[in-house]
């Protein structure tokens, strides 16, 4: 396993700045935004008294494992369900990476290149 | 009970990886070609947007990205990674990142066969054949 994790955050359309600001505060370097469409359940919406906006943005952020918890905590605080972004965030483990500049330098240093 | 033997008891299963590759816009086709060379079963190309500030994005040329999701067998990851490293070294515009997430489970044997791109029927493992032979005797 590599020492990276992919943080995936799903927010209402137009609120990716909230996510990236929070993630950068926690030490993330950048992310990629994809457009998506939510398929919220009407009964659940009525029960919780929330409206699920169908237009969503998905933010993919690759972060080192040691800052993952900070990123998730800050993203939840600044773009979570209690904010206008109404975002949910989770992370998935990454087994290997290619093209991460800092990572390659570390690998080369370990291999003595 | 029938003689049903679960697929994983009779055939060697290979780890599958969910690979995400992010490159600048218009570079996606080259990445899909690399995926095809490495027997990826599925390639999904999407248009994304980088989150770098506008001035930095302008310096780099564009903030539009091609995001390619694909499913690869883990034994193909090494050659895919090597080919990607070569591709990313071609020019500044060809740079990108990729990462692999291991898959835990799939919904059935046929889906596994499709995702692992098993084009020809794999022969059962020898141990099971031997066991079956013993039962017949």
């Amino acid at each position: 396993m590599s020492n990276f994790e992919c943080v995936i955050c799903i927010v209402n359309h137009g609120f990716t700045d909230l996510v990236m600001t929070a993630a950068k505060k926690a030490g993330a370097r950048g992310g990629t935004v994809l457009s998506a469409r939510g398929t919220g359940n009407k009964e659940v919406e009525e029960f919780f008294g929330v409206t699920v906006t169908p237009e969503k943005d998905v933010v993919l952020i690759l972060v080192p494992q040691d800052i993952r918890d900070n990123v998730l905590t800050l993203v939840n605080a600044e773009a979570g369900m209690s904010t206008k972004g109404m975002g949910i965030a989770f992370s998935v483990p990454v087994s290997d990476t290619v093209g991460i500049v800092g990572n390659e330098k570390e690998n080369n240093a370990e291999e003595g290149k | 009970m029938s003689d049903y033997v679960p697929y994983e008891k009779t055939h060697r299963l290979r780890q599958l990886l969910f690979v995400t590759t992010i490159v600048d816009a218009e570079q996606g086709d080259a990445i899909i070609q690399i995926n095809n060379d490495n027997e990826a079963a599925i390639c999904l190309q999407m248009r994304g947007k980088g989150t770098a500030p506008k001035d930095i994005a302008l310096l780099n040329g564009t903030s539009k990205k091609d995001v390619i999701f694909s499913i690869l067998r883990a034994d193909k990851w090494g050659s895919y990674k090597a080919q990607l490293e070569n591709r990313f070294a071609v020019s500044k515009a060809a740079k990108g990142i990729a990462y692999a997430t291991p898959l835990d489970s799939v919904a059935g044997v046929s889906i596994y066969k499709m995702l692992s791109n098993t084009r020809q029927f794999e022969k059962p493992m020898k141990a099971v054949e031997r066991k079956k032979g013993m039962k017949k005797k």
Side-chain angles (χ1 to χ4, degrees), chain B residues 35-90:
Chain B
N35 271 291
N36 289 340
D37 292 346
N38 287 286
E39 297 175 19
I42 286 176
C43 267
L44 176 65
Q45 184 179 6
M46 298 177 79
R47 182 53 61 88
K49 203 177 77 181
T51 61
K54 272 185 185 170
D55 44 350
I56 295 175
L58 282 175
L59 276 176
N60 286 336
T62 175
S63 69
K64 286 180 184 167
K65 302 280 177 193
D66 275 349
V67 182
I68 297 101
F69 297 112
S70 54
I71 292 186
L72 272 184
R73 285 201 313 269
D75 56 305
K76 289 284 174 188
W77 170 252
S79 68
Y80 180 70
K81 189 178 172 181
Q83 279 179 271
L84 269 192
E85 279 168 351
N86 288 338
R87 173 73 198 169
F88 291 165
V90 166

Side-chain angles (χ1 to χ4, degrees), chain A residues 6 31-33 93-98, chain B residues 48-49 51 77 81 98-101:
Chain A
C6 179
T32 306
V33 179
V94 164
S95 62
D96 203 0
T97 59
V98 192
Chain B
K49 203 177 77 181
T51 61
W77 170 252
K81 189 178 172 181
Y99 53 90
T101 308

Side-chain angles (χ1 to χ4, degrees), chain A residues 17-98:
Chain A
D17 288 351
L18 287 182
V19 178
M20 281 319 299
T21 310
K24 280 181 180 169
K25 269 186 204 170
R29 285 159 61 184
T32 306
V33 179
L34 300 172
S35 292
R37 191 167 173 277
T39 59
N41 184 334
K42 270 198 172 178
E43 286 171 19
V44 175
E45 285 176 33
E46 280 166 18
F47 183 79
F48 288 107
V50 294
T51 314
V52 178
T53 318
E55 288 85 23
K56 300 282 180 192
D57 282 340
V58 180
V59 189
L60 306 175
I61 312 166
L62 201 62
V63 297
Q65 251 170 3
D66 51 341
I67 66 164
R68 178 203 58 187
D69 289 347
N70 281 343
V71 171
L72 284 175
T73 310
L74 277 177
V75 165
N76 190 44
E78 296 188 16
M81 289 301 279
S82 56
T83 66
K84 281 185 178 176
M86 294 193 71
I88 56 166
F90 52 91
S91 70
V92 289
V94 164
S95 62
D96 203 0
T97 59
V98 192

